[in-house]
C-alpha cells in the first residue's frame, strides 16, 4: 500500500493531468515501445544470422550479403550458397591434390592454377561463376558446373550462370548503390548486440528459476496435500490447513519482496516517461 501510494504520487507529479490521460499516454508508449522492440529484435536476428553464416562459409559478411542477393536475383536463395561453396571447396581440394580431371576443368575455364589457389573463397567463387558465364558451349558449361557445384546445386545456379559475363559486377554496383550491403563493422556490431540479448535472455531464465526455487517447499506441500486428499491418506481438514498455510507462506514471500520491486519499477518507469516527454 505504501509503495503504491508513492508510485501514484510520482505519476501525479510527473504529469499534472488526469488519470485517463496518463493511462492513454502510457498505453501509447507501451505500444510504440513494443513495436520498436520487435523491430530491433528482428534486425539483430538478421544481422546475427549474416555473421554466423558468413563465418561458417569462411567468407566476409559483405560477400555473404552480396551472394545472397545475387542468388535471390537468379530465382533461388542463400541456402544454395552453402552447398555451392562446400562443393567448390571439394573441387579446390582436388586441385591441391593434383587431380587430373580437376586441373583440366580449371584449364577449360581459362583460370590459372596458381592464381586460383592464391584466391580466398569468395574470389574463387566469383572467378568460376564469371568464367562459366563466358562459356558459349552450353553442354560444356553444364558439365563443368555439375563437376564443381554438384548435380543438385548447379541446376539452382543455372539462371545465374546463363547471365551475361560482367553481370556480377553490374549487380555489385547496383546493390551497393542501393545500400543493400551493410559493412562488416556494422554486422559485427549487430552480432555483438545479439550476443548480449542472448545473455540477457539466459539471465532472465536463471533469475526466474532462482525465484521459483524459493517457492518449491510450499509447492511441494500443496502437491502432497492434494495427493493425500485424492488417495484418502489424509482428512480434508488437515489437507486444507496444509494448503492454506503454504499459500499464506507464498503470499508472505511475495509481499515482502513487493515494496522493493514496486519502488524500483516505479522509479524506472517515471524516468523513462519523463525522458520521452
Amino acid at each position: 500500500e505504501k509503495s503504491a501510494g508513492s508510485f501514484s504520487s510520482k505519476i501525479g507529479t510527473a504529469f499534472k493531468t488526469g488519470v485517463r490521460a496518463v493511462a492513454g499516454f502510457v498505453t501509447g508508449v507501451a505500444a510504440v515501445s513494443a513495436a520498436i522492440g520487435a523491430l530491433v529484435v528482428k534486425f539483430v536476428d538478421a544481422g546475427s544470422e549474416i555473421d554466423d553464416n558468413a563465418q561458417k562459409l569462411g567468407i566476409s559478411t559483405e560477400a555473404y550479403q552480396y551472394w545472397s542477393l545475387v542468388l535471390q536475383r537468379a530465382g533461388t536463395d542463400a541456402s544454395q550458397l552453402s552447398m555451392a561453396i562446400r562443393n567448390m571447396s571439394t573441387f579446390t581440394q582436388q586441385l591441391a591434390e593434383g587431380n587430373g580431371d580437376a586441373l583440366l576443368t580449371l584449364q577449360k575455364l581459362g583460370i590459372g592454377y596458381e592464381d586460383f589457389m592464391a584466391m580466398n573463397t569468395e574470389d574463387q567463387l566469383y572467378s568460376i561463376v564469371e568464367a562459366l558465364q563466358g562459356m558459349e558451349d552450353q553442354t560444356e558449361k553444364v558439365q563443368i558446373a555439375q563437376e564443381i557445384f554438384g548435380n543438385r546445386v548447379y541446376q539452382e545456379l543455372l539462371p545465374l550462370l546463363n547471365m551475361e559475363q560482367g553481370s556480377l559486377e553490374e549487380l555489385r554496383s547496383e546493390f551497393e548503390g542501393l545500400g543493400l550491403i551493410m559493412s562488416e563493422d556494422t554486422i559485427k556490431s549487430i552480432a555483438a548486440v545479439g550476443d548480449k540479448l542472448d545473455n540477457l535472455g539466459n539471465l532472465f531464465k536463471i533469475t526466474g528459476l532462482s525465484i521459483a526455487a524459493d517457492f518449491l517447499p510450499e509447492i511441494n506441500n500443496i502437491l502432497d496435500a492434494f495427493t493425500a486428499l485424492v488417495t484418502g491418506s489424509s482428512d480434508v481438514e488437515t489437507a486444507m490447513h496444509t494448503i492454506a498455510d503454504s499459500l499464506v507462506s507464498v503470499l508472505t514471500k511475495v509481499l515482502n519482496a513487493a515494496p522493493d520491486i514496486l519502488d524500483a519499477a516505479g522509479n524506472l518507469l517515471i524516468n523513462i516517461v519523463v525522458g520521452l516527454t
Side-chain angles (χ1 to χ4, degrees), residues 249-272:
S249 179
V250 169
L251 185 58
T252 301
K253 289 181 178 180
V254 172
L255 291 177
N256 286 338
D260 292 336
I261 295 173
L262 283 174
D263 189 52
N267 286 328
L268 175 62
L269 180 58
I270 292 303
N271 288 330
I272 291 174

Side-chain angles (χ1 to χ4, degrees), residues 20-190:
R20 186 172 299 176
V22 173
F25 181 79
V26 172
T27 301
V29 170
V32 173
S33 299
I36 293 173
L39 180 63
V40 169
V41 169
K42 288 181 180 179
F43 182 66
V44 168
D45 286 345
S48 297
E49 182 181 359
I50 290 172
D51 184 56
D52 291 341
N53 289 336
Q55 289 189 53
K56 291 176 184 177
L57 297 178
I59 61 178
S60 67
T61 58
E62 293 178 5
Y64 178 81
Q65 294 173 83
Y66 166 73
W67 282 107
S68 297
L69 291 168
V70 168
L71 292 176
Q72 185 180 3
R73 181 64 62 87
T76 183
D77 54 57
S79 64
Q80 301 301 322
L81 181 59
S82 175
M83 291 296 297
I85 289 180
R86 186 178 297 120
N87 293 339
M88 186 189 73
S89 297
T90 301
F91 172 74
T92 304
Q93 182 62 35
Q94 291 173 345
L95 287 173
E97 294 171 353
N99 182 282
D101 291 336
L103 291 168
L104 181 60
T105 296
L106 192 65
Q107 184 179 0
K108 290 178 181 178
L109 289 172
I111 303 174
Y113 173 81
E114 293 183 359
D115 291 338
F116 184 80
M117 299 305 288
M119 297 177 186
N120 57 29
T121 300
E122 54 204 71
D123 289 338
Q124 287 178 340
L125 179 61
Y126 190 98
S127 64
I128 288 175
V129 171
E130 189 171 48
L132 285 168
Q133 288 178 337
M135 294 188 70
E136 297 181 359
D137 189 329
Q138 189 69 21
T139 301
E140 189 174 38
K141 175 189 292 190
V142 169
Q143 181 183 352
I144 292 176
Q146 282 180 315
E147 182 179 346
I148 296 175
F149 298 117
N151 291 329
R152 196 182 79 180
V153 178
Y154 97 91
Q155 293 179 351
E156 296 290 335
L157 296 181
L158 268 182
L160 170 62
L161 302 180
N162 287 331
M163 291 182 181
E164 291 184 6
Q165 195 171 33
S167 60
L168 289 180
E169 199 57 39
E170 292 177 2
L171 288 173
R172 186 188 298 279
S173 298
E174 177 184 343
F175 298 148
E176 290 178 349
L178 292 171
L180 296 178
I181 300 177
M182 291 181 285
S183 69
E184 185 94 11
D185 290 341
T186 299
I187 293 296
K188 293 298 182 184
S189 297
I190 296 171

